[in-house]
């Protein structure tokens, strides 16, 4: 049976991951300062991005190129170890691509976040995030469809 502190830690970590998704999907890049540790290592290379201390800068420059996107997360597997934890969380990330003069296209991205978490000053933060690719699919618009 999970103890109350274990339940609390799991819920706080799940909330942290939801706050990441909300910060990214709403373009509130400054909120990432409260989500990642100061020395966090982020590796987005599996989905075509950079690796390093890159989260806010990369996301803030890349995502405005997409008219719409969402980060849908689920199926988190979290392992606690005192003030550190690891997690594997599924992410489904549909992203609309501008069609220029034609209709837009839809890119579907499926991945897992492989995270290492650290408790800093009583708050959980992401210390390391690596994306693991499952799929990337580009759905082309149907000619004549609206």
């Amino acid at each position: 049976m999970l103890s109350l502190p274990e339940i609390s830690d799991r819920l706080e970590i799940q909330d942290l991951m939801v706050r990441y998704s909300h910060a990214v999907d709403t373009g509130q890049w400054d909120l990432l300062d409260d989500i990642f540790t100061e020395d966090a290592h982020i590796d987005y290379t599996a989905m075509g991005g950079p690796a390093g201390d890159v989260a806010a800068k990369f996301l803030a420059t890349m995502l405005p190129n997409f008219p719409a996107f969402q980060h849908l997360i689920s199926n988190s597997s979290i392992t606690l170890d005192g003030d550190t934890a690891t997690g594997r969380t599924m992410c489904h990330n549909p992203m609309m691509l501008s069609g220029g003069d034609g209709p837009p296209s839809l890119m579907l991205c499926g991945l897992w976040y492989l995270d290492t978490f650290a408790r800093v000053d009583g708050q959980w933060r992401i210390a390391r995030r690596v994306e693991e690719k499952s799929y990337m699919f580009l759905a082309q618009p149907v000619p004549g469809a609206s």
Side-chain angles (χ1 to χ4, degrees):
M1 180 182 301
L2 294 175
S3 67
L4 286 178
E6 289 171 323
I7 293 169
S8 178
D9 287 341
R10 288 175 181 279
L11 289 173
E12 289 175 30
I13 289 170
Q14 289 175 345
D15 182 63
L16 175 68
M17 292 184 291
V18 169
R19 287 189 292 122
Y20 168 85
S21 296
H22 284 287
V24 171
D25 288 345
T26 59
Q28 297 181 70
W29 313 119
D30 56 322
L31 296 180
L32 295 177
D33 292 340
D34 292 330
I35 293 168
F36 291 102
T37 61
E38 287 184 24
D39 61 347
H41 178 81
I42 298 102
D43 184 344
Y44 292 137
T45 58
M47 301 303 282
D53 180 18
V54 297
K57 184 177 179 181
F58 168 69
L59 295 171
T61 57
M62 188 268 304
L63 287 177
N65 296 312
F66 296 88
F69 49 86
Q70 289 181 316
H71 289 75
L72 310 166
I73 58 172
S74 68
N75 298 10
S76 294
S77 174
I78 298 168
T79 302
L80 298 167
D81 186 14
D83 287 336
T84 62
T86 57
R88 185 172 196 266
T89 302
M90 184 183 296
C91 177
H92 174 68
N93 181 206
M95 303 180 80
M96 184 178 289
L97 302 169
S98 177
D101 292 335
S105 298
L106 181 64
M107 181 170 60
L108 301 174
C109 302
L111 60 131
W112 288 273
Y113 291 127
L114 307 177
D115 294 321
T116 302
F117 305 98
R119 192 185 334 249
V120 177
D121 297 327
Q123 301 294 314
W124 286 102
R125 302 275 190 265
I126 300 171
R128 179 175 174 80
R129 168 162 280 182
V130 176
E131 291 181 339
E132 181 181 297
K133 183 178 180 178
S134 176
Y135 61 87
M136 188 178 289
F137 176 77
L138 181 60
Q140 297 294 328
V142 176
S146 53

